[in-house]
Short mmCIF file of all heavy atoms in Angstrom, two decimals:
data_model
loop_
_atom_site.label_atom_id
_atom_site.label_comp_id
_atom_site.label_asym_id
_atom_site.label_seq_id
_atom_site.Cartn_x
_atom_site.Cartn_y
_atom_site.Cartn_z
N MET A 1 -71.53 -42.93 -45.55
CA MET A 1 -70.43 -42.01 -45.83
C MET A 1 -69.70 -42.43 -47.10
O MET A 1 -69.40 -43.59 -47.30
CB MET A 1 -69.46 -42.03 -44.64
CG MET A 1 -68.32 -41.04 -44.81
SD MET A 1 -67.23 -41.05 -43.40
CE MET A 1 -66.14 -39.72 -43.88
N LEU A 2 -69.44 -41.49 -47.94
CA LEU A 2 -68.71 -41.74 -49.17
C LEU A 2 -67.21 -41.72 -48.89
O LEU A 2 -66.69 -40.77 -48.33
CB LEU A 2 -69.05 -40.67 -50.21
CG LEU A 2 -68.32 -40.80 -51.55
CD1 LEU A 2 -68.79 -42.05 -52.28
CD2 LEU A 2 -68.56 -39.57 -52.39
N HIS A 3 -66.56 -42.80 -49.29
CA HIS A 3 -65.12 -42.88 -49.03
C HIS A 3 -64.36 -42.36 -50.24
O HIS A 3 -63.84 -43.12 -51.05
CB HIS A 3 -64.72 -44.31 -48.68
CG HIS A 3 -65.34 -44.75 -47.39
ND1 HIS A 3 -64.65 -44.74 -46.19
CD2 HIS A 3 -66.59 -45.16 -47.11
CE1 HIS A 3 -65.47 -45.15 -45.23
NE2 HIS A 3 -66.64 -45.41 -45.76
N ALA A 4 -64.31 -41.07 -50.34
CA ALA A 4 -63.71 -40.41 -51.50
C ALA A 4 -62.23 -40.70 -51.63
O ALA A 4 -61.69 -40.73 -52.73
CB ALA A 4 -63.94 -38.90 -51.41
N GLU A 5 -61.58 -40.92 -50.49
CA GLU A 5 -60.13 -41.11 -50.52
C GLU A 5 -59.75 -42.39 -51.26
O GLU A 5 -58.71 -42.46 -51.90
CB GLU A 5 -59.55 -41.15 -49.10
CG GLU A 5 -59.81 -39.89 -48.32
CD GLU A 5 -61.08 -39.99 -47.48
OE1 GLU A 5 -62.00 -40.72 -47.89
OE2 GLU A 5 -61.14 -39.34 -46.44
N VAL A 6 -60.58 -43.43 -51.11
CA VAL A 6 -60.28 -44.70 -51.78
C VAL A 6 -60.38 -44.52 -53.28
O VAL A 6 -59.52 -44.97 -54.04
CB VAL A 6 -61.24 -45.80 -51.29
CG1 VAL A 6 -61.04 -47.08 -52.09
CG2 VAL A 6 -61.02 -46.07 -49.80
N ASN A 7 -61.41 -43.83 -53.71
CA ASN A 7 -61.56 -43.52 -55.14
C ASN A 7 -60.39 -42.68 -55.62
O ASN A 7 -59.83 -42.92 -56.69
CB ASN A 7 -62.88 -42.79 -55.37
CG ASN A 7 -63.11 -42.49 -56.83
OD1 ASN A 7 -62.94 -43.35 -57.67
ND2 ASN A 7 -63.47 -41.26 -57.12
N LEU A 8 -60.00 -41.74 -54.81
CA LEU A 8 -58.88 -40.86 -55.15
C LEU A 8 -57.61 -41.67 -55.37
O LEU A 8 -56.86 -41.44 -56.31
CB LEU A 8 -58.68 -39.87 -53.99
CG LEU A 8 -57.53 -38.88 -54.11
CD1 LEU A 8 -57.89 -37.78 -55.09
CD2 LEU A 8 -57.21 -38.26 -52.77
N CYS A 9 -57.39 -42.64 -54.50
CA CYS A 9 -56.17 -43.44 -54.59
C CYS A 9 -56.15 -44.33 -55.83
O CYS A 9 -55.08 -44.77 -56.24
CB CYS A 9 -55.99 -44.29 -53.33
SG CYS A 9 -55.42 -43.32 -51.93
N SER A 10 -57.30 -44.59 -56.41
CA SER A 10 -57.32 -45.39 -57.63
C SER A 10 -56.84 -44.56 -58.82
O SER A 10 -56.59 -45.09 -59.89
CB SER A 10 -58.72 -45.93 -57.89
OG SER A 10 -59.58 -44.87 -58.26
N LEU A 11 -56.69 -43.25 -58.61
CA LEU A 11 -56.30 -42.36 -59.70
C LEU A 11 -54.79 -42.23 -59.86
O LEU A 11 -54.30 -41.75 -60.85
CB LEU A 11 -56.90 -40.96 -59.49
CG LEU A 11 -58.43 -40.91 -59.44
CD1 LEU A 11 -58.88 -39.49 -59.15
CD2 LEU A 11 -59.04 -41.39 -60.75
N PHE A 12 -54.04 -42.64 -58.85
CA PHE A 12 -52.59 -42.54 -58.98
C PHE A 12 -51.93 -43.81 -58.45
O PHE A 12 -52.53 -44.57 -57.71
CB PHE A 12 -52.04 -41.31 -58.28
CG PHE A 12 -52.41 -41.20 -56.81
CD1 PHE A 12 -51.68 -41.88 -55.84
CD2 PHE A 12 -53.48 -40.42 -56.42
CE1 PHE A 12 -52.02 -41.78 -54.51
CE2 PHE A 12 -53.83 -40.31 -55.08
CZ PHE A 12 -53.10 -41.00 -54.13
N LYS A 13 -50.71 -44.00 -58.85
CA LYS A 13 -49.96 -45.19 -58.44
C LYS A 13 -49.29 -44.96 -57.10
O LYS A 13 -49.00 -43.82 -56.72
CB LYS A 13 -48.90 -45.53 -59.49
CG LYS A 13 -49.47 -45.96 -60.81
CD LYS A 13 -48.34 -46.47 -61.72
CE LYS A 13 -48.83 -46.65 -63.14
NZ LYS A 13 -48.28 -45.66 -64.07
N ARG A 14 -49.02 -46.03 -56.42
CA ARG A 14 -48.33 -45.99 -55.14
C ARG A 14 -47.04 -45.18 -55.25
O ARG A 14 -46.23 -45.42 -56.14
CB ARG A 14 -48.00 -47.43 -54.73
CG ARG A 14 -47.35 -47.57 -53.38
CD ARG A 14 -46.97 -49.01 -53.15
NE ARG A 14 -48.15 -49.85 -53.01
CZ ARG A 14 -48.60 -50.31 -51.83
NH1 ARG A 14 -47.94 -50.05 -50.75
NH2 ARG A 14 -49.68 -51.04 -51.78
N GLY A 15 -46.86 -44.21 -54.36
CA GLY A 15 -45.64 -43.44 -54.35
C GLY A 15 -45.67 -42.21 -55.25
O GLY A 15 -44.77 -41.39 -55.21
N GLU A 16 -46.72 -42.06 -56.04
CA GLU A 16 -46.78 -40.92 -56.97
C GLU A 16 -47.21 -39.64 -56.29
O GLU A 16 -46.79 -38.56 -56.68
CB GLU A 16 -47.77 -41.22 -58.11
CG GLU A 16 -47.12 -41.84 -59.32
CD GLU A 16 -48.11 -41.98 -60.46
OE1 GLU A 16 -49.28 -41.59 -60.34
OE2 GLU A 16 -47.69 -42.50 -61.50
N ALA A 17 -48.09 -39.78 -55.30
CA ALA A 17 -48.62 -38.59 -54.63
C ALA A 17 -48.09 -38.53 -53.20
O ALA A 17 -47.85 -39.55 -52.57
CB ALA A 17 -50.13 -38.61 -54.63
N LYS A 18 -47.89 -37.33 -52.70
CA LYS A 18 -47.36 -37.16 -51.36
C LYS A 18 -48.32 -36.39 -50.46
O LYS A 18 -48.19 -36.40 -49.25
CB LYS A 18 -46.03 -36.39 -51.42
CG LYS A 18 -44.89 -37.19 -52.06
CD LYS A 18 -44.18 -38.05 -51.04
CE LYS A 18 -43.09 -38.91 -51.66
NZ LYS A 18 -43.60 -40.14 -52.26
N LEU A 19 -49.27 -35.68 -51.07
CA LEU A 19 -50.12 -34.78 -50.30
C LEU A 19 -51.58 -34.96 -50.70
O LEU A 19 -51.89 -35.09 -51.88
CB LEU A 19 -49.66 -33.34 -50.59
CG LEU A 19 -50.20 -32.21 -49.73
CD1 LEU A 19 -49.20 -31.07 -49.72
CD2 LEU A 19 -51.54 -31.70 -50.24
N VAL A 20 -52.45 -34.98 -49.70
CA VAL A 20 -53.88 -35.11 -49.95
C VAL A 20 -54.61 -34.07 -49.11
O VAL A 20 -54.26 -33.84 -47.96
CB VAL A 20 -54.38 -36.53 -49.58
CG1 VAL A 20 -55.89 -36.59 -49.47
CG2 VAL A 20 -53.90 -37.54 -50.63
N ALA A 21 -55.62 -33.43 -49.70
CA ALA A 21 -56.45 -32.50 -48.96
C ALA A 21 -57.90 -32.96 -49.04
O ALA A 21 -58.39 -33.25 -50.12
CB ALA A 21 -56.31 -31.09 -49.53
N THR A 22 -58.56 -33.08 -47.89
CA THR A 22 -59.94 -33.55 -47.86
C THR A 22 -60.79 -32.58 -47.05
O THR A 22 -60.28 -31.79 -46.26
CB THR A 22 -60.03 -34.94 -47.22
OG1 THR A 22 -59.61 -34.84 -45.86
CG2 THR A 22 -59.15 -35.95 -47.94
N THR A 23 -62.11 -32.67 -47.25
CA THR A 23 -63.01 -31.81 -46.47
C THR A 23 -63.10 -32.33 -45.04
O THR A 23 -62.97 -31.58 -44.09
CB THR A 23 -64.41 -31.81 -47.10
OG1 THR A 23 -64.28 -31.48 -48.47
CG2 THR A 23 -65.30 -30.79 -46.44
N THR A 24 -63.29 -33.64 -44.91
CA THR A 24 -63.39 -34.25 -43.59
C THR A 24 -62.19 -35.16 -43.36
O THR A 24 -61.69 -35.77 -44.30
CB THR A 24 -64.69 -35.08 -43.48
OG1 THR A 24 -65.78 -34.24 -43.86
CG2 THR A 24 -64.91 -35.58 -42.08
N MET A 25 -61.72 -35.22 -42.14
CA MET A 25 -60.61 -36.10 -41.79
C MET A 25 -60.89 -37.52 -42.29
O MET A 25 -62.00 -38.02 -42.13
CB MET A 25 -60.48 -36.12 -40.26
CG MET A 25 -59.36 -37.01 -39.76
SD MET A 25 -59.48 -37.25 -37.96
CE MET A 25 -58.86 -35.68 -37.38
N PRO A 26 -59.89 -38.15 -42.92
CA PRO A 26 -60.11 -39.51 -43.43
C PRO A 26 -60.52 -40.46 -42.30
O PRO A 26 -60.04 -40.34 -41.18
CB PRO A 26 -58.75 -39.91 -44.00
CG PRO A 26 -58.03 -38.63 -44.24
CD PRO A 26 -58.54 -37.67 -43.21
N CYS A 27 -61.42 -41.41 -42.60
CA CYS A 27 -61.78 -42.41 -41.60
C CYS A 27 -60.62 -43.39 -41.44
O CYS A 27 -59.64 -43.33 -42.20
CB CYS A 27 -63.06 -43.13 -42.01
SG CYS A 27 -62.85 -44.28 -43.36
N THR A 28 -60.74 -44.27 -40.48
CA THR A 28 -59.64 -45.19 -40.18
C THR A 28 -59.20 -45.98 -41.40
O THR A 28 -58.01 -46.05 -41.71
CB THR A 28 -60.07 -46.16 -39.05
OG1 THR A 28 -60.44 -45.38 -37.92
CG2 THR A 28 -58.94 -47.09 -38.67
N SER A 29 -60.14 -46.57 -42.12
CA SER A 29 -59.75 -47.42 -43.26
C SER A 29 -59.19 -46.60 -44.41
O SER A 29 -58.24 -47.02 -45.07
CB SER A 29 -60.92 -48.30 -43.71
OG SER A 29 -61.81 -47.57 -44.49
N CYS A 30 -59.72 -45.42 -44.64
CA CYS A 30 -59.17 -44.56 -45.69
C CYS A 30 -57.77 -44.09 -45.31
O CYS A 30 -56.88 -44.00 -46.16
CB CYS A 30 -60.07 -43.34 -45.92
SG CYS A 30 -61.58 -43.74 -46.82
N MET A 31 -57.58 -43.81 -44.03
CA MET A 31 -56.27 -43.38 -43.57
C MET A 31 -55.24 -44.48 -43.82
O MET A 31 -54.12 -44.20 -44.27
CB MET A 31 -56.36 -43.06 -42.06
CG MET A 31 -55.10 -42.47 -41.49
SD MET A 31 -54.74 -40.85 -42.20
CE MET A 31 -53.17 -40.50 -41.37
N GLN A 32 -55.63 -45.72 -43.58
CA GLN A 32 -54.72 -46.84 -43.82
C GLN A 32 -54.41 -46.96 -45.31
O GLN A 32 -53.28 -47.26 -45.69
CB GLN A 32 -55.34 -48.13 -43.28
CG GLN A 32 -55.33 -48.16 -41.76
CD GLN A 32 -56.22 -49.26 -41.18
OE1 GLN A 32 -57.10 -49.77 -41.86
NE2 GLN A 32 -55.98 -49.61 -39.93
N THR A 33 -55.43 -46.73 -46.14
CA THR A 33 -55.23 -46.78 -47.59
C THR A 33 -54.25 -45.69 -48.04
O THR A 33 -53.32 -45.94 -48.80
CB THR A 33 -56.57 -46.59 -48.33
OG1 THR A 33 -57.47 -47.59 -47.89
CG2 THR A 33 -56.39 -46.70 -49.83
N LEU A 34 -54.46 -44.49 -47.50
CA LEU A 34 -53.58 -43.37 -47.86
C LEU A 34 -52.14 -43.67 -47.43
O LEU A 34 -51.19 -43.39 -48.17
CB LEU A 34 -54.08 -42.08 -47.20
CG LEU A 34 -55.42 -41.57 -47.74
CD1 LEU A 34 -55.91 -40.40 -46.89
CD2 LEU A 34 -55.32 -41.15 -49.19
N CYS A 35 -51.99 -44.26 -46.25
CA CYS A 35 -50.65 -44.64 -45.76
C CYS A 35 -50.00 -45.62 -46.71
O CYS A 35 -48.82 -45.50 -47.05
CB CYS A 35 -50.75 -45.28 -44.38
SG CYS A 35 -51.17 -44.12 -43.09
N ALA A 36 -50.79 -46.60 -47.15
CA ALA A 36 -50.27 -47.65 -48.03
C ALA A 36 -49.82 -47.06 -49.36
O ALA A 36 -48.95 -47.62 -50.04
CB ALA A 36 -51.33 -48.72 -48.25
N TYR A 37 -50.41 -45.94 -49.74
CA TYR A 37 -50.06 -45.31 -51.01
C TYR A 37 -48.89 -44.33 -50.86
O TYR A 37 -48.53 -43.64 -51.79
CB TYR A 37 -51.28 -44.59 -51.60
CG TYR A 37 -52.07 -45.50 -52.49
CD1 TYR A 37 -53.02 -46.37 -51.97
CD2 TYR A 37 -51.85 -45.53 -53.87
CE1 TYR A 37 -53.73 -47.23 -52.77
CE2 TYR A 37 -52.55 -46.38 -54.68
CZ TYR A 37 -53.49 -47.24 -54.14
OH TYR A 37 -54.19 -48.09 -54.93
N GLY A 38 -48.35 -44.23 -49.67
CA GLY A 38 -47.17 -43.41 -49.48
C GLY A 38 -47.46 -41.93 -49.27
O GLY A 38 -46.57 -41.10 -49.43
N ILE A 39 -48.70 -41.59 -48.90
CA ILE A 39 -49.04 -40.19 -48.64
C ILE A 39 -48.30 -39.73 -47.38
O ILE A 39 -48.25 -40.44 -46.38
CB ILE A 39 -50.56 -40.04 -48.44
CG1 ILE A 39 -51.32 -40.46 -49.70
CG2 ILE A 39 -50.94 -38.61 -48.04
CD1 ILE A 39 -51.03 -39.64 -50.93
N LYS A 40 -47.73 -38.54 -47.44
CA LYS A 40 -46.95 -38.02 -46.31
C LYS A 40 -47.60 -36.84 -45.61
O LYS A 40 -47.24 -36.51 -44.48
CB LYS A 40 -45.55 -37.59 -46.79
CG LYS A 40 -44.72 -38.73 -47.35
CD LYS A 40 -44.33 -39.72 -46.27
CE LYS A 40 -43.51 -40.87 -46.83
NZ LYS A 40 -43.85 -42.14 -46.17
N GLU A 41 -48.51 -36.17 -46.31
CA GLU A 41 -49.16 -35.00 -45.72
C GLU A 41 -50.64 -35.05 -46.03
O GLU A 41 -51.03 -35.26 -47.18
CB GLU A 41 -48.60 -33.70 -46.30
CG GLU A 41 -47.17 -33.40 -45.88
CD GLU A 41 -46.67 -32.12 -46.53
OE1 GLU A 41 -47.37 -31.09 -46.48
OE2 GLU A 41 -45.58 -32.15 -47.10
N ILE A 42 -51.48 -34.83 -45.01
CA ILE A 42 -52.93 -34.80 -45.20
C ILE A 42 -53.48 -33.55 -44.53
O ILE A 42 -53.18 -33.28 -43.36
CB ILE A 42 -53.60 -36.06 -44.60
CG1 ILE A 42 -53.05 -37.32 -45.29
CG2 ILE A 42 -55.12 -35.98 -44.74
CD1 ILE A 42 -53.44 -38.60 -44.60
N TYR A 43 -54.26 -32.79 -45.29
CA TYR A 43 -54.90 -31.60 -44.76
C TYR A 43 -56.40 -31.80 -44.82
O TYR A 43 -56.92 -32.29 -45.81
CB TYR A 43 -54.50 -30.36 -45.57
CG TYR A 43 -53.02 -30.10 -45.52
CD1 TYR A 43 -52.16 -30.60 -46.49
CD2 TYR A 43 -52.47 -29.37 -44.46
CE1 TYR A 43 -50.79 -30.38 -46.43
CE2 TYR A 43 -51.10 -29.15 -44.38
CZ TYR A 43 -50.27 -29.65 -45.37
OH TYR A 43 -48.92 -29.44 -45.30
N PHE A 44 -57.12 -31.42 -43.75
CA PHE A 44 -58.56 -31.59 -43.72
C PHE A 44 -59.20 -30.38 -43.06
O PHE A 44 -58.53 -29.60 -42.38
CB PHE A 44 -58.95 -32.88 -42.97
CG PHE A 44 -58.54 -32.84 -41.51
CD1 PHE A 44 -59.43 -32.42 -40.54
CD2 PHE A 44 -57.27 -33.23 -41.13
CE1 PHE A 44 -59.07 -32.38 -39.21
CE2 PHE A 44 -56.89 -33.19 -39.79
CZ PHE A 44 -57.80 -32.77 -38.84
N ARG A 45 -60.52 -30.25 -43.26
CA ARG A 45 -61.22 -29.09 -42.70
C ARG A 45 -62.02 -29.46 -41.45
O ARG A 45 -62.01 -28.74 -40.46
CB ARG A 45 -62.15 -28.51 -43.77
CG ARG A 45 -62.84 -27.24 -43.33
CD ARG A 45 -63.38 -26.49 -44.51
NE ARG A 45 -62.30 -25.91 -45.30
CZ ARG A 45 -62.46 -25.31 -46.47
NH1 ARG A 45 -63.67 -25.23 -46.99
NH2 ARG A 45 -61.44 -24.81 -47.10
N GLU A 46 -62.71 -30.60 -41.52
CA GLU A 46 -63.58 -30.97 -40.40
C GLU A 46 -63.07 -32.22 -39.71
O GLU A 46 -62.68 -33.18 -40.35
CB GLU A 46 -65.01 -31.20 -40.90
CG GLU A 46 -65.69 -29.93 -41.34
CD GLU A 46 -66.83 -30.20 -42.30
OE1 GLU A 46 -67.45 -31.27 -42.21
OE2 GLU A 46 -67.09 -29.34 -43.15
N ILE A 47 -63.11 -32.21 -38.38
CA ILE A 47 -62.67 -33.38 -37.60
C ILE A 47 -63.74 -34.48 -37.66
O ILE A 47 -64.93 -34.19 -37.59
CB ILE A 47 -62.40 -32.96 -36.14
CG1 ILE A 47 -61.14 -32.09 -36.09
CG2 ILE A 47 -62.23 -34.19 -35.25
CD1 ILE A 47 -60.81 -31.56 -34.72
N TYR A 48 -63.27 -35.69 -37.83
CA TYR A 48 -64.14 -36.86 -37.82
C TYR A 48 -63.77 -37.66 -36.58
O TYR A 48 -62.76 -38.33 -36.53
CB TYR A 48 -63.93 -37.66 -39.11
CG TYR A 48 -64.71 -38.95 -39.22
CD1 TYR A 48 -66.02 -39.03 -38.74
CD2 TYR A 48 -64.16 -40.07 -39.82
CE1 TYR A 48 -66.73 -40.20 -38.85
CE2 TYR A 48 -64.87 -41.25 -39.94
CZ TYR A 48 -66.15 -41.31 -39.45
OH TYR A 48 -66.85 -42.47 -39.56
N LYS A 49 -64.61 -37.53 -35.54
CA LYS A 49 -64.26 -38.03 -34.21
C LYS A 49 -64.05 -39.54 -34.14
O LYS A 49 -63.27 -40.01 -33.34
CB LYS A 49 -65.34 -37.62 -33.21
CG LYS A 49 -65.24 -36.16 -32.82
CD LYS A 49 -66.32 -35.77 -31.83
CE LYS A 49 -66.31 -34.27 -31.56
NZ LYS A 49 -67.57 -33.81 -30.98
N GLU A 50 -64.80 -40.29 -34.95
CA GLU A 50 -64.69 -41.75 -34.87
C GLU A 50 -63.44 -42.27 -35.57
O GLU A 50 -63.17 -43.46 -35.55
CB GLU A 50 -65.92 -42.42 -35.49
CG GLU A 50 -67.17 -42.29 -34.63
CD GLU A 50 -67.84 -40.94 -34.79
OE1 GLU A 50 -67.84 -40.41 -35.91
OE2 GLU A 50 -68.34 -40.39 -33.79
N SER A 51 -62.71 -41.39 -36.22
CA SER A 51 -61.55 -41.83 -36.99
C SER A 51 -60.31 -42.02 -36.13
O SER A 51 -60.04 -41.23 -35.23
CB SER A 51 -61.26 -40.81 -38.08
OG SER A 51 -60.09 -41.17 -38.77
N ASP A 52 -59.55 -43.06 -36.42
CA ASP A 52 -58.27 -43.27 -35.76
C ASP A 52 -57.13 -42.62 -36.55
O ASP A 52 -55.96 -42.91 -36.29
CB ASP A 52 -57.98 -44.78 -35.62
CG ASP A 52 -58.85 -45.41 -34.55
OD1 ASP A 52 -59.25 -44.69 -33.61
OD2 ASP A 52 -59.15 -46.61 -34.65
N ALA A 53 -57.48 -41.77 -37.49
CA ALA A 53 -56.47 -41.14 -38.34
C ALA A 53 -55.33 -40.48 -37.56
O ALA A 53 -54.17 -40.65 -37.93
CB ALA A 53 -57.14 -40.15 -39.30
N PRO A 54 -55.62 -39.72 -36.48
CA PRO A 54 -54.51 -39.08 -35.76
C PRO A 54 -53.51 -40.09 -35.20
O PRO A 54 -52.30 -39.87 -35.26
CB PRO A 54 -55.22 -38.32 -34.63
CG PRO A 54 -56.60 -38.08 -35.15
CD PRO A 54 -56.94 -39.31 -35.96
N ALA A 55 -54.01 -41.22 -34.67
CA ALA A 55 -53.12 -42.24 -34.11
C ALA A 55 -52.30 -42.88 -35.23
O ALA A 55 -51.09 -43.11 -35.07
CB ALA A 55 -53.94 -43.31 -33.39
N ILE A 56 -52.93 -43.14 -36.36
CA ILE A 56 -52.22 -43.76 -37.50
C ILE A 56 -51.16 -42.79 -38.02
O ILE A 56 -50.05 -43.19 -38.33
CB ILE A 56 -53.23 -44.13 -38.59
CG1 ILE A 56 -54.18 -45.23 -38.08
CG2 ILE A 56 -52.51 -44.61 -39.85
CD1 ILE A 56 -55.39 -45.46 -38.95
N ALA A 57 -51.51 -41.52 -38.09
CA ALA A 57 -50.56 -40.51 -38.57
C ALA A 57 -49.31 -40.49 -37.69
O ALA A 57 -48.19 -40.38 -38.19
CB ALA A 57 -51.23 -39.14 -38.58
N LYS A 58 -49.53 -40.62 -36.39
CA LYS A 58 -48.41 -40.63 -35.45
C LYS A 58 -47.49 -41.82 -35.70
O LYS A 58 -46.27 -41.69 -35.76
CB LYS A 58 -48.96 -40.70 -34.01
CG LYS A 58 -48.58 -39.51 -33.18
CD LYS A 58 -49.12 -39.65 -31.77
CE LYS A 58 -49.25 -38.28 -31.12
NZ LYS A 58 -49.89 -38.34 -29.82
N VAL A 59 -48.10 -42.99 -35.85
CA VAL A 59 -47.34 -44.23 -36.04
C VAL A 59 -46.50 -44.16 -37.31
O VAL A 59 -45.34 -44.57 -37.33
CB VAL A 59 -48.30 -45.44 -36.10
CG1 VAL A 59 -47.55 -46.70 -36.55
CG2 VAL A 59 -48.92 -45.68 -34.73
N TYR A 60 -47.09 -43.61 -38.39
CA TYR A 60 -46.40 -43.61 -39.68
C TYR A 60 -45.63 -42.31 -39.95
O TYR A 60 -45.03 -42.16 -41.01
CB TYR A 60 -47.41 -43.84 -40.81
CG TYR A 60 -47.93 -45.26 -40.84
CD1 TYR A 60 -49.09 -45.59 -40.15
CD2 TYR A 60 -47.25 -46.26 -41.53
CE1 TYR A 60 -49.57 -46.90 -40.16
CE2 TYR A 60 -47.72 -47.56 -41.54
CZ TYR A 60 -48.88 -47.87 -40.85
OH TYR A 60 -49.34 -49.15 -40.85
N GLY A 61 -45.70 -41.39 -39.03
CA GLY A 61 -44.98 -40.13 -39.21
C GLY A 61 -45.56 -39.27 -40.32
O GLY A 61 -44.84 -38.58 -41.04
N ILE A 62 -46.88 -39.31 -40.44
CA ILE A 62 -47.56 -38.51 -41.47
C ILE A 62 -48.06 -37.21 -40.85
O ILE A 62 -48.53 -37.19 -39.71
CB ILE A 62 -48.74 -39.31 -42.05
CG1 ILE A 62 -48.20 -40.51 -42.83
CG2 ILE A 62 -49.63 -38.45 -42.93
CD1 ILE A 62 -49.26 -41.52 -43.19
N LYS A 63 -47.94 -36.14 -41.62
CA LYS A 63 -48.44 -34.85 -41.16
C LYS A 63 -49.95 -34.79 -41.39
O LYS A 63 -50.41 -34.90 -42.53
CB LYS A 63 -47.73 -33.74 -41.93
CG LYS A 63 -48.09 -32.35 -41.46
CD LYS A 63 -47.25 -31.33 -42.20
CE LYS A 63 -47.58 -29.92 -41.73
NZ LYS A 63 -46.80 -28.92 -42.45
N LEU A 64 -50.70 -34.63 -40.31
CA LEU A 64 -52.16 -34.56 -40.39
C LEU A 64 -52.58 -33.24 -39.78
O LEU A 64 -52.45 -33.03 -38.58
CB LEU A 64 -52.78 -35.74 -39.62
CG LEU A 64 -54.30 -35.85 -39.64
CD1 LEU A 64 -54.82 -36.19 -41.02
CD2 LEU A 64 -54.77 -36.92 -38.66
N GLU A 65 -53.03 -32.32 -40.62
CA GLU A 65 -53.25 -30.97 -40.14
C GLU A 65 -54.62 -30.44 -40.52
O GLU A 65 -55.06 -30.60 -41.65
CB GLU A 65 -52.17 -30.05 -40.73
CG GLU A 65 -52.06 -28.74 -40.00
CD GLU A 65 -50.85 -27.94 -40.48
OE1 GLU A 65 -49.73 -28.45 -40.42
OE2 GLU A 65 -51.05 -26.81 -40.92
N GLN A 66 -55.28 -29.79 -39.55
CA GLN A 66 -56.59 -29.20 -39.83
C GLN A 66 -56.43 -27.79 -40.37
O GLN A 66 -55.69 -26.98 -39.83
CB GLN A 66 -57.44 -29.16 -38.55
CG GLN A 66 -58.84 -28.65 -38.82
CD GLN A 66 -59.71 -28.63 -37.56
OE1 GLN A 66 -59.20 -28.64 -36.45
NE2 GLN A 66 -61.01 -28.63 -37.76
N ILE A 67 -57.14 -27.52 -41.46
CA ILE A 67 -57.16 -26.18 -42.04
C ILE A 67 -58.57 -25.63 -41.78
O ILE A 67 -59.54 -26.14 -42.31
CB ILE A 67 -56.95 -26.24 -43.57
CG1 ILE A 67 -55.71 -27.06 -43.90
CG2 ILE A 67 -56.92 -24.85 -44.16
CD1 ILE A 67 -54.42 -26.32 -43.87
N PRO A 68 -58.70 -24.61 -40.97
CA PRO A 68 -60.03 -24.08 -40.66
C PRO A 68 -60.71 -23.51 -41.90
O PRO A 68 -60.04 -23.03 -42.81
CB PRO A 68 -59.75 -22.97 -39.65
CG PRO A 68 -58.35 -23.19 -39.17
CD PRO A 68 -57.63 -23.89 -40.29
N ALA A 69 -62.03 -23.61 -41.92
CA ALA A 69 -62.79 -23.07 -43.04
C ALA A 69 -62.58 -21.56 -43.12
O ALA A 69 -62.51 -20.88 -42.11
CB ALA A 69 -64.27 -23.38 -42.85
N PRO A 70 -62.48 -21.04 -44.34
CA PRO A 70 -62.32 -19.59 -44.49
C PRO A 70 -63.58 -18.86 -44.01
O PRO A 70 -64.68 -19.37 -44.16
CB PRO A 70 -62.11 -19.40 -45.99
CG PRO A 70 -62.63 -20.64 -46.63
CD PRO A 70 -62.53 -21.73 -45.61
N GLU A 71 -63.40 -17.68 -43.46
CA GLU A 71 -64.55 -16.91 -43.00
C GLU A 71 -65.37 -16.44 -44.17
O GLU A 71 -64.83 -16.01 -45.18
CB GLU A 71 -64.07 -15.72 -42.17
CG GLU A 71 -63.57 -16.15 -40.80
CD GLU A 71 -63.02 -14.95 -40.01
OE1 GLU A 71 -63.63 -13.88 -40.08
OE2 GLU A 71 -61.98 -15.12 -39.36
N GLU A 72 -66.69 -16.51 -43.99
CA GLU A 72 -67.56 -16.10 -45.09
C GLU A 72 -67.73 -14.59 -45.10
O GLU A 72 -67.63 -13.93 -44.09
CB GLU A 72 -68.93 -16.78 -44.97
CG GLU A 72 -68.81 -18.25 -45.31
CD GLU A 72 -70.18 -18.94 -45.28
OE1 GLU A 72 -71.17 -18.29 -45.61
OE2 GLU A 72 -70.20 -20.12 -44.92
N GLY A 73 -68.02 -14.06 -46.29
CA GLY A 73 -68.21 -12.62 -46.43
C GLY A 73 -66.95 -12.12 -47.00
O GLY A 73 -66.51 -11.11 -47.19
ZN1 LIG B 101 -63.28 -43.55 -45.47
#
């Protein structure tokens, strides 16, 4: 699995970004990285069942919300 969120976080400084949108829910370690960078809102399309992201979001008070894929056609 490609950890795009870690690469993403190398693009901005801590506290600069508040919102992240990903295709798949961040995995546990990426979620921790995003938390460390001060992200407050995360939007994703697909649930990643092995991720502890929802529990981490609860602990840190981060908004973690699923955005359903748009209907085709
Ligand atoms: Zn990851």
Side-chain angles (χ1 to χ4, degrees):
M1 183 179 185
L2 179 67
H3 295 261
E5 300 93 331
V6 173
N7 182 47
L8 179 75
C9 284
S10 70
L11 300 177
F12 56 83
K13 294 188 191 109
R14 183 185 292 257
E16 267 186 1
K18 291 273 177 277
L19 191 154
V20 164
T22 64
T23 308
T24 307
M25 180 192 284
C27 73
T28 302
S29 79
C30 285
M31 186 65 183
Q32 288 167 341
T33 303
L34 293 172
C35 289
Y37 270 84
I39 299 298
K40 297 292 180 217
E41 291 178 49
I42 300 169
Y43 298 93
F44 64 94
R45 185 162 289 173
E46 290 158 30
I47 290 177
Y48 177 38
K49 283 180 187 162
E50 287 80 37
S51 176
D52 286 333
I56 295 167
K58 241 181 203 174
V59 169
Y60 289 92
I62 293 168
K63 184 175 181 181
L64 182 67
E65 196 172 304
Q66 184 179 20
I67 309 275
E71 286 177 40
E72 288 183 33

